[in-house]
Amino acid sequence: MSKYRVQNPATGEIVETFEAATDEQIEQAISSADSVYREWREKSVYERAQVVKRVAEIFEERKDELARIIALEMGKSIAESIDEVEFARDIIEYYAVHGPSLITDYEIPSTIPGKAYIEHRPVGVLLGVMPWNFPYYQVARFAAPNLVLGNTILLKHADICARSSLTMQEIFEEAGVPVGGYQNVFASHDQIATIIADPRVQGVSLTGSERAGAIIGEQAGRHLKKCVLELGGIDPMVVLDADDVAAVAKEAWAFRVYNGGQVCNSNKRLIVMDDIYDEFVAELKKLAEGLVPGDQLDLADGAFVPLSTRTAAETVNAQVQKAVSEGATLEAGGVLADGPGAHFSPAVLTGVPRDSESYREEIFGPVATVYKVSSDEEALELANDCELGLGGSVFSTDEARAAKVASRLETGMTHVNTIAAEAAEMPFGGVKRSGFGREMGPVGIGEFANKRLYFVAK
């Protein structure tokens, strides 16, 4: 089986296969990206921003086609696929509109006679290694700011996102990025290492697993390359109290099963106060019961989408079974479909023991894991008892009470009375083993910038 392929996760059918890159093609891609960088960086930031703005327009024009491509590739519904295309469009447009002002030179006070400025200059060719769960959004938040800044892009996408990754290259070129300025590469792990080692490549951004992050981070460190790593999360959603428990449970469920639960910053640990816990779990069970496997290209009411691959579904199933064997209770759902399809019914899991291996594991699928606590301090201690630190949220009718707990979460993103504030202008990233660096918002464009001192003596 070809490594790069489009395989419908609902049926297991391989729709399309693609040739992996040769070493010669990888060399040509680096050489071309480097030579285009020397031309692209000389354009004004406004010229580059106009090209990137056109990318956003084409995403809008081709929205339905783009949505169908990823629905087939990785299994999300058409409605969620359209959401993603629109979010990617918004991020690209944000950097086209606001990027130039975010990287304007500014003067800093100087004790030496003369004028001192901080400039934001591009650094060169960058490699992006992107995951399958949000094929367009992940690329948008890496490529758009860096193209506006003046860098050029080599993009190694997930094996199952071959058609969408080729289509994105086509769109960037159609918009006016010079050929070579944004290139999809069907690279192997060894070829990724070769790219990172090449002196013409100045940085690498990876969104993926802790394991992948450790490998890429080690390679980047060995070759003294800047890297940004956006890794996993087991984000806490702390519910201290609620006027309408059913409404908060519904919000929790909707976010947890969104994209088949395959979201880095999903609310993977629901930490609920004991006096509302039983009602909260009962509401989740109601939402989980009676769902049937569906076709993501034409999803019926009451149906759920497949996970990205059969292997992914089997992994989630094994994790749930392991948690049960360690003492957890599967309250609802959690059924792995027979046959080649990747359907795993959305599940509710309670009572995962704190001393079990399962407690420490991220479940990258539609499993709402609920914990009972009896005080704000206990909720906070449980929330922070985690090696990962991507996002987190705290819910309460008393905003000050929620804010007090939220302010002490060891995360890169913290929220009160919403699970995740997500928009083009909101920075995204984590602490601890969730990685380092930020994407999106005003800070995302600075990660691969040469913040150069420019001094003119008097």
Side-chain angles (χ1 to χ4, degrees):
M1 184 167 70
S2 168
K3 183 175 162 66
Y4 285 92
R5 66 198 181 282
V6 173
Q7 183 171 14
N8 183 346
T11 64
E13 178 198 359
I14 295 176
V15 180
E16 204 175 359
T17 58
F18 302 81
E19 288 299 314
T22 63
D23 290 346
E24 292 74 22
Q25 286 171 325
I26 295 293
E27 165 55 35
Q28 181 52 47
I30 298 170
S31 174
S32 171
D34 183 55
S35 91
V36 169
Y37 163 64
R38 290 164 205 293
E39 151 201 348
W40 183 241
R41 70 180 178 184
E42 297 306 322
K43 292 185 182 295
S44 77
V45 66
Y46 297 101
E47 286 178 277
R48 295 192 298 262
Q50 281 309 110
V51 170
V52 171
K53 191 163 196 322
R54 182 67 194 128
V55 175
E57 290 166 1
I58 299 171
F59 263 72
E60 176 61 29
E61 290 161 14
R62 296 178 65 175
K63 180 162 64 182
D64 292 341
E65 171 206 354
L66 291 172
R68 191 172 174 83
I69 290 171
I70 58 170
L72 181 62
E73 281 180 343
M74 58 68 62
K76 73 178 77 199
S77 68
I78 293 290
E80 289 189 4
S81 296
I82 287 173
D83 279 351
E84 183 186 336
V85 177
E86 291 175 342
F87 196 6
R89 172 205 66 200
D90 291 349
I91 293 165
I92 296 163
E93 186 172 32
Y94 171 85
Y95 283 112
V97 173
H98 298 285
S101 62
L102 295 174
I103 55 174
T104 302
D105 302 348
Y106 60 92
E107 190 177 350
I108 58 171
S110 169
T111 58
I112 305 169
K115 285 189 177 292
Y117 301 89
I118 302 296
E119 302 176 315
H120 292 78
R121 304 289 304 154
V123 293
V125 181
L126 303 175
L127 171 65
V129 181
M130 295 295 143
W132 46 261
N133 58 335
F134 290 96
Y136 301 127
Y137 156 79
Q138 297 285 357
V139 171
R141 62 192 209 171
F142 167 63
N146 281 302
L147 286 168
V148 171
L149 183 58
N151 296 319
T152 54
I153 304 293
L154 296 172
L155 203 294
K156 188 272 175 217
H157 220 312
D159 308 351
I160 62 173
C161 295
R163 176 50 58 195
S164 57
S165 55
L166 284 174
T167 305
M168 279 185 280
Q169 178 175 331
E170 183 186 298
I171 289 171
F172 279 100
E173 289 177 357
E174 184 189 329
V177 175
V179 174
Y182 177 99
Q183 296 173 79
N184 173 70
V185 288
F186 289 143
S188 67
H189 292 311
D190 287 348
Q191 288 169 332
I192 292 170
T194 299
I195 294 169
I196 293 171
D198 194 289
R200 293 166 291 185
V201 175
Q202 297 303 312
V204 55
S205 178
L206 170 126
T207 298
S209 65
E210 289 173 78
R211 183 172 163 273
I215 292 166
I216 294 291
E218 184 179 354
Q219 291 171 352
R222 191 181 311 141
H223 299 288
L224 302 178
K225 305 291 173 72
K226 170 73 185 279
C227 68
V228 167
L229 301 176
E230 197 269 280
L231 311 177
I234 316 180
D235 291 11
M237 174 184 174
V238 178
V239 186
L240 300 175
D241 62 71
D243 281 338
D244 186 342
V245 174
V248 179
K250 189 176 181 184
E251 186 179 345
W253 179 255
F255 200 79
R256 185 65 192 100
V257 300
Y258 184 79
N259 205 46
Q262 301 162 125
V263 181
C264 301
N265 64 321
S266 184
N267 48 334
K268 298 191 181 101
R269 290 179 297 151
L270 306 176
I271 299 170
V272 182
M273 205 57 73
D274 52 8
D275 57 342
I276 56 171
Y277 174 88
D278 289 344
E279 186 184 349
F280 193 93
V281 171
E283 291 296 333
L284 291 178
K285 285 168 71 172
K286 271 189 227 169
L287 293 164
E289 279 158 0
L291 302 176
V292 294
D295 173 3
Q296 76 274 23
L297 302 174
D298 185 17
L299 196 66
D301 284 346
F304 60 90
V305 296
L307 300 194
S308 60
T309 60
R310 177 70 188 182
T311 303
E314 289 172 353
T315 298
V316 171
N317 184 57
Q319 287 179 293
V320 170
Q321 295 303 320
K322 178 181 173 186
V324 169
S325 76
E326 290 174 335
T329 302
L330 180 58
E331 304 276 0
V335 178
L336 178 66
D338 294 332
H343 287 94
F344 177 84
S345 61
V348 179
L349 193 64
T350 61
V352 176
R354 291 277 300 268
D355 59 356
S356 67
E357 283 182 25
S358 296
Y359 173 76
R360 302 276 164 199
E361 286 182 6
E362 175 182 20
I363 298 180
F364 211 62
V367 181
T369 305
V370 199
Y371 297 89
K372 186 198 295 192
V373 291
S374 56
S375 70
D376 293 17
E377 267 312 310
E378 186 187 357
L380 181 68
E381 188 274 326
L382 176 58
N384 285 338
D385 181 24
C386 182
E387 292 184 333
L388 301 172
L390 193 54
S393 59
V394 184
F395 283 69
S396 173
T397 53
D398 179 346
E399 191 182 304
R401 179 186 180 193
K404 191 175 175 185
V405 175
S407 69
R408 294 171 64 198
L409 289 178
E410 295 166 359
T411 58
M413 303 173 284
T414 188
H415 305 80
V416 169
N417 290 333
T418 189
I419 299 168
E422 295 188 288
E425 68 277 7
M426 299 288 178
F428 190 104
V431 295
K432 301 200 276 192
R433 290 182 66 86
S434 287
F436 41 78
R438 294 292 180 268
E439 292 186 300
M440 305 207 298
V443 294
I445 200 165
E447 288 289 357
F448 293 102
N450 170 12
K451 292 164 193 161
R452 186 169 71 180
L453 168 68
Y454 174 65
F455 188 86
V456 181
K458 261 189 183 160

